[in-house]
PDB file of all heavy atoms in Angstrom:
ATOM      1  N   TYR K 424     -25.496 -30.667 -30.961  1.00  0.00           N
ATOM      2  CA  TYR K 424     -26.811 -30.926 -30.339  1.00  0.00           C
ATOM      3  C   TYR K 424     -26.619 -30.767 -28.823  1.00  0.00           C
ATOM      4  O   TYR K 424     -27.415 -30.203 -28.143  1.00  0.00           O
ATOM      5  CB  TYR K 424     -27.114 -32.351 -30.613  1.00  0.00           C
ATOM      6  CG  TYR K 424     -28.429 -32.907 -29.870  1.00  0.00           C
ATOM      7  CD1 TYR K 424     -29.697 -32.552 -30.155  1.00  0.00           C
ATOM      8  CD2 TYR K 424     -28.156 -33.696 -28.704  1.00  0.00           C
ATOM      9  CE1 TYR K 424     -30.759 -32.976 -29.479  1.00  0.00           C
ATOM     10  CE2 TYR K 424     -29.238 -34.104 -27.980  1.00  0.00           C
ATOM     11  CZ  TYR K 424     -30.394 -33.819 -28.311  1.00  0.00           C
ATOM     12  OH  TYR K 424     -31.591 -34.157 -27.605  1.00  0.00           O
ATOM     13  N   LYS K 425     -25.548 -31.290 -28.201  1.00  0.00           N
ATOM     14  CA  LYS K 425     -25.257 -31.144 -26.810  1.00  0.00           C
ATOM     15  C   LYS K 425     -25.183 -29.714 -26.418  1.00  0.00           C
ATOM     16  O   LYS K 425     -25.677 -29.309 -25.350  1.00  0.00           O
ATOM     17  CB  LYS K 425     -24.089 -31.948 -26.375  1.00  0.00           C
ATOM     18  CG  LYS K 425     -24.243 -33.475 -26.500  1.00  0.00           C
ATOM     19  CD  LYS K 425     -22.929 -34.195 -26.177  1.00  0.00           C
ATOM     20  CE  LYS K 425     -23.133 -35.768 -26.353  1.00  0.00           C
ATOM     21  NZ  LYS K 425     -21.852 -36.428 -26.235  1.00  0.00           N
ATOM     22  N   ILE K 426     -24.422 -28.931 -27.168  1.00  0.00           N
ATOM     23  CA  ILE K 426     -24.172 -27.429 -26.784  1.00  0.00           C
ATOM     24  C   ILE K 426     -25.547 -26.729 -26.756  1.00  0.00           C
ATOM     25  O   ILE K 426     -25.850 -26.053 -25.877  1.00  0.00           O
ATOM     26  CB  ILE K 426     -23.291 -26.748 -27.810  1.00  0.00           C
ATOM     27  CG1 ILE K 426     -21.818 -27.315 -27.609  1.00  0.00           C
ATOM     28  CG2 ILE K 426     -23.272 -25.291 -27.614  1.00  0.00           C
ATOM     29  CD1 ILE K 426     -20.799 -26.842 -28.637  1.00  0.00           C
ATOM     30  N   ALA K 427     -26.326 -26.983 -27.893  1.00  0.00           N
ATOM     31  CA  ALA K 427     -27.664 -26.317 -27.973  1.00  0.00           C
ATOM     32  C   ALA K 427     -28.550 -26.709 -26.763  1.00  0.00           C
ATOM     33  O   ALA K 427     -29.286 -26.080 -26.162  1.00  0.00           O
ATOM     34  CB  ALA K 427     -28.295 -26.641 -29.239  1.00  0.00           C
ATOM     35  N   LEU K 428     -28.463 -28.160 -26.533  1.00  0.00           N
ATOM     36  CA  LEU K 428     -29.380 -28.621 -25.372  1.00  0.00           C
ATOM     37  C   LEU K 428     -28.985 -27.992 -24.056  1.00  0.00           C
ATOM     38  O   LEU K 428     -29.882 -27.634 -23.290  1.00  0.00           O
ATOM     39  CB  LEU K 428     -29.186 -30.242 -25.327  1.00  0.00           C
ATOM     40  CG  LEU K 428     -30.088 -30.907 -24.382  1.00  0.00           C
ATOM     41  CD1 LEU K 428     -31.550 -30.724 -24.755  1.00  0.00           C
ATOM     42  CD2 LEU K 428     -29.693 -32.369 -24.360  1.00  0.00           C
ATOM     43  N   PHE K 429     -27.676 -28.025 -23.667  1.00  0.00           N
ATOM     44  CA  PHE K 429     -27.265 -27.405 -22.421  1.00  0.00           C
ATOM     45  C   PHE K 429     -27.590 -25.886 -22.428  1.00  0.00           C
ATOM     46  O   PHE K 429     -28.095 -25.458 -21.387  1.00  0.00           O
ATOM     47  CB  PHE K 429     -25.776 -27.632 -22.337  1.00  0.00           C
ATOM     48  CG  PHE K 429     -25.415 -28.964 -21.748  1.00  0.00           C
ATOM     49  CD1 PHE K 429     -24.506 -29.725 -22.380  1.00  0.00           C
ATOM     50  CD2 PHE K 429     -25.905 -29.553 -20.612  1.00  0.00           C
ATOM     51  CE1 PHE K 429     -24.056 -30.988 -21.861  1.00  0.00           C
ATOM     52  CE2 PHE K 429     -25.626 -30.779 -20.087  1.00  0.00           C
ATOM     53  CZ  PHE K 429     -24.762 -31.501 -20.786  1.00  0.00           C
ATOM     54  N   ARG K 430     -27.459 -25.242 -23.446  1.00  0.00           N
ATOM     55  CA  ARG K 430     -27.857 -23.781 -23.577  1.00  0.00           C
ATOM     56  C   ARG K 430     -29.221 -23.587 -23.214  1.00  0.00           C
ATOM     57  O   ARG K 430     -29.654 -22.778 -22.332  1.00  0.00           O
ATOM     58  CB  ARG K 430     -27.503 -23.129 -24.868  1.00  0.00           C
ATOM     59  CG  ARG K 430     -27.422 -21.582 -24.868  1.00  0.00           C
ATOM     60  CD  ARG K 430     -28.803 -20.964 -25.080  1.00  0.00           C
ATOM     61  NE  ARG K 430     -29.588 -21.403 -26.212  1.00  0.00           N
ATOM     62  CZ  ARG K 430     -29.518 -20.819 -27.428  1.00  0.00           C
ATOM     63  NH1 ARG K 430     -28.795 -19.737 -27.573  1.00  0.00           N
ATOM     64  NH2 ARG K 430     -30.180 -21.244 -28.419  1.00  0.00           N
ATOM     65  N   ASN K 431     -30.174 -24.324 -23.763  1.00  0.00           N
ATOM     66  CA  ASN K 431     -31.545 -24.319 -23.567  1.00  0.00           C
ATOM     67  C   ASN K 431     -31.965 -24.606 -22.140  1.00  0.00           C
ATOM     68  O   ASN K 431     -32.803 -24.001 -21.497  1.00  0.00           O
ATOM     69  CB  ASN K 431     -32.407 -25.132 -24.552  1.00  0.00           C
ATOM     70  CG  ASN K 431     -32.285 -24.595 -25.974  1.00  0.00           C
ATOM     71  OD1 ASN K 431     -31.930 -23.469 -26.186  1.00  0.00           O
ATOM     72  ND2 ASN K 431     -32.443 -25.548 -26.982  1.00  0.00           N
ATOM     73  N   ASP K 432     -31.371 -25.698 -21.710  1.00  0.00           N
ATOM     74  CA  ASP K 432     -31.691 -26.150 -20.301  1.00  0.00           C
ATOM     75  C   ASP K 432     -31.265 -25.078 -19.197  1.00  0.00           C
ATOM     76  O   ASP K 432     -31.939 -24.756 -18.378  1.00  0.00           O
ATOM     77  CB  ASP K 432     -30.970 -27.511 -19.944  1.00  0.00           C
ATOM     78  CG  ASP K 432     -31.778 -28.641 -20.762  1.00  0.00           C
ATOM     79  OD1 ASP K 432     -32.800 -28.497 -21.150  1.00  0.00           O
ATOM     80  OD2 ASP K 432     -31.132 -29.756 -20.826  1.00  0.00           O
ATOM     81  N   LEU K 433     -29.992 -24.618 -19.452  1.00  0.00           N
ATOM     82  CA  LEU K 433     -29.501 -23.571 -18.551  1.00  0.00           C
ATOM     83  C   LEU K 433     -30.322 -22.334 -18.583  1.00  0.00           C
ATOM     84  O   LEU K 433     -30.510 -21.587 -17.700  1.00  0.00           O
ATOM     85  CB  LEU K 433     -28.058 -23.332 -18.750  1.00  0.00           C
ATOM     86  CG  LEU K 433     -27.190 -24.528 -18.334  1.00  0.00           C
ATOM     87  CD1 LEU K 433     -25.686 -24.271 -18.828  1.00  0.00           C
ATOM     88  CD2 LEU K 433     -27.032 -24.746 -16.841  1.00  0.00           C
ATOM     89  N   SER K 434     -30.643 -21.930 -19.791  1.00  0.00           N
ATOM     90  CA  SER K 434     -31.450 -20.592 -20.027  1.00  0.00           C
ATOM     91  C   SER K 434     -32.781 -20.747 -19.373  1.00  0.00           C
ATOM     92  O   SER K 434     -33.462 -19.713 -18.910  1.00  0.00           O
ATOM     93  CB  SER K 434     -31.555 -20.366 -21.480  1.00  0.00           C
ATOM     94  OG  SER K 434     -30.366 -20.186 -22.094  1.00  0.00           O
ATOM     95  N   HIS K 435     -33.363 -21.946 -19.182  1.00  0.00           N
ATOM     96  CA  HIS K 435     -34.707 -22.120 -18.623  1.00  0.00           C
ATOM     97  C   HIS K 435     -34.650 -22.590 -17.226  1.00  0.00           C
ATOM     98  O   HIS K 435     -35.603 -23.094 -16.615  1.00  0.00           O
ATOM     99  CB  HIS K 435     -35.560 -23.060 -19.467  1.00  0.00           C
ATOM    100  CG  HIS K 435     -35.854 -22.444 -20.801  1.00  0.00           C
ATOM    101  ND1 HIS K 435     -35.145 -22.627 -21.924  1.00  0.00           N
ATOM    102  CD2 HIS K 435     -36.835 -21.577 -21.214  1.00  0.00           C
ATOM    103  CE1 HIS K 435     -35.656 -21.926 -22.967  1.00  0.00           C
ATOM    104  NE2 HIS K 435     -36.749 -21.283 -22.502  1.00  0.00           N
ATOM    105  N   GLY K 436     -33.452 -22.630 -16.591  1.00  0.00           N
ATOM    106  CA  GLY K 436     -33.311 -22.994 -15.174  1.00  0.00           C
ATOM    107  C   GLY K 436     -33.467 -24.476 -14.926  1.00  0.00           C
ATOM    108  O   GLY K 436     -33.643 -24.843 -13.805  1.00  0.00           O
ATOM    109  N   ARG K 437     -33.319 -25.332 -16.010  1.00  0.00           N
ATOM    110  CA  ARG K 437     -33.257 -26.744 -15.722  1.00  0.00           C
ATOM    111  C   ARG K 437     -32.127 -27.321 -15.253  1.00  0.00           C
ATOM    112  O   ARG K 437     -31.002 -26.758 -15.582  1.00  0.00           O
ATOM    113  CB  ARG K 437     -33.854 -27.561 -17.047  1.00  0.00           C
ATOM    114  CG  ARG K 437     -35.226 -27.123 -17.480  1.00  0.00           C
ATOM    115  CD  ARG K 437     -35.810 -28.046 -18.556  1.00  0.00           C
ATOM    116  NE  ARG K 437     -35.319 -27.598 -19.770  1.00  0.00           N
ATOM    117  CZ  ARG K 437     -35.854 -26.802 -20.658  1.00  0.00           C
ATOM    118  NH1 ARG K 437     -37.066 -26.370 -20.333  1.00  0.00           N
ATOM    119  NH2 ARG K 437     -35.390 -26.592 -21.812  1.00  0.00           N
ATOM    120  N   GLU K 438     -32.156 -28.455 -14.413  1.00  0.00           N
ATOM    121  CA  GLU K 438     -30.918 -29.049 -13.954  1.00  0.00           C
ATOM    122  C   GLU K 438     -30.206 -29.736 -15.065  1.00  0.00           C
ATOM    123  O   GLU K 438     -30.723 -30.311 -16.012  1.00  0.00           O
ATOM    124  CB  GLU K 438     -31.321 -30.114 -12.919  1.00  0.00           C
ATOM    125  CG  GLU K 438     -31.788 -29.509 -11.493  1.00  0.00           C
ATOM    126  CD  GLU K 438     -30.639 -28.711 -10.863  1.00  0.00           C
ATOM    127  OE1 GLU K 438     -29.456 -29.197 -10.885  1.00  0.00           O
ATOM    128  OE2 GLU K 438     -30.894 -27.625 -10.330  1.00  0.00           O
ATOM    129  N   VAL K 439     -28.847 -29.743 -14.913  1.00  0.00           N
ATOM    130  CA  VAL K 439     -28.070 -30.365 -15.905  1.00  0.00           C
ATOM    131  C   VAL K 439     -26.913 -31.206 -15.291  1.00  0.00           C
ATOM    132  O   VAL K 439     -26.684 -30.978 -14.106  1.00  0.00           O
ATOM    133  CB  VAL K 439     -27.276 -29.305 -16.947  1.00  0.00           C
ATOM    134  CG1 VAL K 439     -28.385 -28.581 -17.670  1.00  0.00           C
ATOM    135  CG2 VAL K 439     -26.315 -28.494 -16.110  1.00  0.00           C
ATOM    136  N   ASN K 440     -26.454 -32.217 -15.968  1.00  0.00           N
ATOM    137  CA  ASN K 440     -25.390 -33.064 -15.422  1.00  0.00           C
ATOM    138  C   ASN K 440     -23.995 -32.301 -15.501  1.00  0.00           C
ATOM    139  O   ASN K 440     -23.564 -31.992 -16.552  1.00  0.00           O
ATOM    140  CB  ASN K 440     -25.263 -34.324 -16.153  1.00  0.00           C
ATOM    141  CG  ASN K 440     -24.197 -35.263 -15.662  1.00  0.00           C
ATOM    142  OD1 ASN K 440     -23.075 -34.978 -15.567  1.00  0.00           O
ATOM    143  ND2 ASN K 440     -24.575 -36.480 -15.379  1.00  0.00           N
ATOM    144  N   ASN K 441     -23.485 -31.940 -14.368  1.00  0.00           N
ATOM    145  CA  ASN K 441     -22.297 -30.994 -14.340  1.00  0.00           C
ATOM    146  C   ASN K 441     -21.124 -31.719 -15.002  1.00  0.00           C
ATOM    147  O   ASN K 441     -20.393 -30.973 -15.650  1.00  0.00           O
ATOM    148  CB  ASN K 441     -22.030 -30.827 -12.892  1.00  0.00           C
ATOM    149  CG  ASN K 441     -21.488 -29.267 -12.712  1.00  0.00           C
ATOM    150  OD1 ASN K 441     -22.091 -28.284 -13.227  1.00  0.00           O
ATOM    151  ND2 ASN K 441     -20.380 -29.038 -11.997  1.00  0.00           N
ATOM    152  N   ASP K 442     -20.929 -32.996 -14.809  1.00  0.00           N
ATOM    153  CA  ASP K 442     -19.763 -33.620 -15.429  1.00  0.00           C
ATOM    154  C   ASP K 442     -19.786 -33.668 -16.989  1.00  0.00           C
ATOM    155  O   ASP K 442     -18.813 -33.420 -17.627  1.00  0.00           O
ATOM    156  CB  ASP K 442     -19.635 -35.085 -14.929  1.00  0.00           C
ATOM    157  CG  ASP K 442     -19.329 -35.225 -13.404  1.00  0.00           C
ATOM    158  OD1 ASP K 442     -18.706 -34.178 -12.984  1.00  0.00           O
ATOM    159  OD2 ASP K 442     -19.685 -36.238 -12.767  1.00  0.00           O
ATOM    160  N   LYS K 443     -21.003 -33.874 -17.488  1.00  0.00           N
ATOM    161  CA  LYS K 443     -21.207 -33.892 -18.945  1.00  0.00           C
ATOM    162  C   LYS K 443     -21.028 -32.421 -19.489  1.00  0.00           C
ATOM    163  O   LYS K 443     -20.493 -32.139 -20.514  1.00  0.00           O
ATOM    164  CB  LYS K 443     -22.537 -34.475 -19.260  1.00  0.00           C
ATOM    165  CG  LYS K 443     -22.755 -35.826 -19.064  1.00  0.00           C
ATOM    166  CD  LYS K 443     -24.104 -36.301 -19.468  1.00  0.00           C
ATOM    167  CE  LYS K 443     -24.171 -37.916 -19.369  1.00  0.00           C
ATOM    168  NZ  LYS K 443     -25.547 -38.361 -19.650  1.00  0.00           N
ATOM    169  N   LEU K 444     -21.501 -31.433 -18.608  1.00  0.00           N
ATOM    170  CA  LEU K 444     -21.426 -30.064 -18.964  1.00  0.00           C
ATOM    171  C   LEU K 444     -19.910 -29.563 -19.121  1.00  0.00           C
ATOM    172  O   LEU K 444     -19.529 -28.876 -20.024  1.00  0.00           O
ATOM    173  CB  LEU K 444     -22.148 -29.183 -18.012  1.00  0.00           C
ATOM    174  CG  LEU K 444     -22.097 -27.658 -18.289  1.00  0.00           C
ATOM    175  CD1 LEU K 444     -22.776 -27.290 -19.618  1.00  0.00           C
ATOM    176  CD2 LEU K 444     -22.803 -26.916 -17.095  1.00  0.00           C
ATOM    177  N   ILE K 445     -19.146 -29.961 -18.136  1.00  0.00           N
ATOM    178  CA  ILE K 445     -17.713 -29.782 -18.240  1.00  0.00           C
ATOM    179  C   ILE K 445     -17.005 -30.135 -19.529  1.00  0.00           C
ATOM    180  O   ILE K 445     -16.291 -29.467 -20.160  1.00  0.00           O
ATOM    181  CB  ILE K 445     -16.862 -30.324 -16.990  1.00  0.00           C
ATOM    182  CG1 ILE K 445     -17.439 -29.642 -15.786  1.00  0.00           C
ATOM    183  CG2 ILE K 445     -15.441 -30.280 -17.212  1.00  0.00           C
ATOM    184  CD1 ILE K 445     -16.850 -30.255 -14.460  1.00  0.00           C
ATOM    185  N   VAL K 446     -17.320 -31.356 -19.974  1.00  0.00           N
ATOM    186  CA  VAL K 446     -16.741 -31.903 -21.209  1.00  0.00           C
ATOM    187  C   VAL K 446     -17.146 -31.089 -22.330  1.00  0.00           C
ATOM    188  O   VAL K 446     -16.285 -30.709 -23.166  1.00  0.00           O
ATOM    189  CB  VAL K 446     -17.121 -33.373 -21.393  1.00  0.00           C
ATOM    190  CG1 VAL K 446     -16.740 -33.939 -22.817  1.00  0.00           C
ATOM    191  CG2 VAL K 446     -16.701 -34.199 -20.298  1.00  0.00           C
ATOM    192  N   VAL K 447     -18.443 -30.714 -22.455  1.00  0.00           N
ATOM    193  CA  VAL K 447     -18.953 -29.953 -23.607  1.00  0.00           C
ATOM    194  C   VAL K 447     -18.433 -28.540 -23.494  1.00  0.00           C
ATOM    195  O   VAL K 447     -18.096 -27.917 -24.536  1.00  0.00           O
ATOM    196  CB  VAL K 447     -20.577 -29.826 -23.546  1.00  0.00           C
ATOM    197  CG1 VAL K 447     -21.084 -28.994 -24.634  1.00  0.00           C
ATOM    198  CG2 VAL K 447     -21.044 -31.409 -23.851  1.00  0.00           C
ATOM    199  N   LYS K 448     -18.329 -28.010 -22.280  1.00  0.00           N
ATOM    200  CA  LYS K 448     -17.766 -26.599 -22.165  1.00  0.00           C
ATOM    201  C   LYS K 448     -16.356 -26.578 -22.615  1.00  0.00           C
ATOM    202  O   LYS K 448     -15.891 -25.627 -23.319  1.00  0.00           O
ATOM    203  CB  LYS K 448     -17.865 -26.198 -20.675  1.00  0.00           C
ATOM    204  CG  LYS K 448     -17.591 -24.736 -20.436  1.00  0.00           C
ATOM    205  CD  LYS K 448     -16.242 -24.290 -20.133  1.00  0.00           C
ATOM    206  CE  LYS K 448     -15.697 -24.922 -18.917  1.00  0.00           C
ATOM    207  NZ  LYS K 448     -14.258 -24.409 -18.592  1.00  0.00           N
ATOM    208  N   GLU K 449     -15.440 -27.498 -22.370  1.00  0.00           N
ATOM    209  CA  GLU K 449     -14.066 -27.557 -22.855  1.00  0.00           C
ATOM    210  C   GLU K 449     -14.064 -27.706 -24.335  1.00  0.00           C
ATOM    211  O   GLU K 449     -13.090 -26.989 -24.901  1.00  0.00           O
ATOM    212  CB  GLU K 449     -13.408 -28.731 -22.205  1.00  0.00           C
ATOM    213  CG  GLU K 449     -13.061 -28.510 -20.774  1.00  0.00           C
ATOM    214  CD  GLU K 449     -12.361 -27.379 -20.375  1.00  0.00           C
ATOM    215  OE1 GLU K 449     -11.322 -26.881 -21.146  1.00  0.00           O
ATOM    216  OE2 GLU K 449     -12.754 -26.607 -19.437  1.00  0.00           O
ATOM    217  N   LYS K 450     -14.905 -28.341 -24.986  1.00  0.00           N
ATOM    218  CA  LYS K 450     -14.900 -28.420 -26.453  1.00  0.00           C
ATOM    219  C   LYS K 450     -15.379 -27.047 -27.034  1.00  0.00           C
ATOM    220  O   LYS K 450     -14.817 -26.658 -28.019  1.00  0.00           O
ATOM    221  CB  LYS K 450     -15.783 -29.496 -26.929  1.00  0.00           C
ATOM    222  CG  LYS K 450     -15.225 -30.967 -26.548  1.00  0.00           C
ATOM    223  CD  LYS K 450     -16.089 -32.097 -27.179  1.00  0.00           C
ATOM    224  CE  LYS K 450     -15.469 -33.395 -26.849  1.00  0.00           C
ATOM    225  NZ  LYS K 450     -14.226 -33.724 -27.546  1.00  0.00           N
TER     226      LYS K 450
END
Side-chain angles (χ1 to χ4, degrees):
Y424 173 79
K425 288 175 185 176
I426 290 173
L428 182 65
F429 278 126
R430 194 280 302 271
N431 292 338
D432 285 345
L433 291 172
S434 297
H435 292 91
R437 292 192 281 265
E438 286 296 319
V439 299
N440 183 304
N441 217 47
D442 292 334
K443 291 181 179 178
L444 179 62
I445 289 172
V446 175
V447 173
K448 193 266 300 184
E449 287 305 314
K450 290 185 180 294

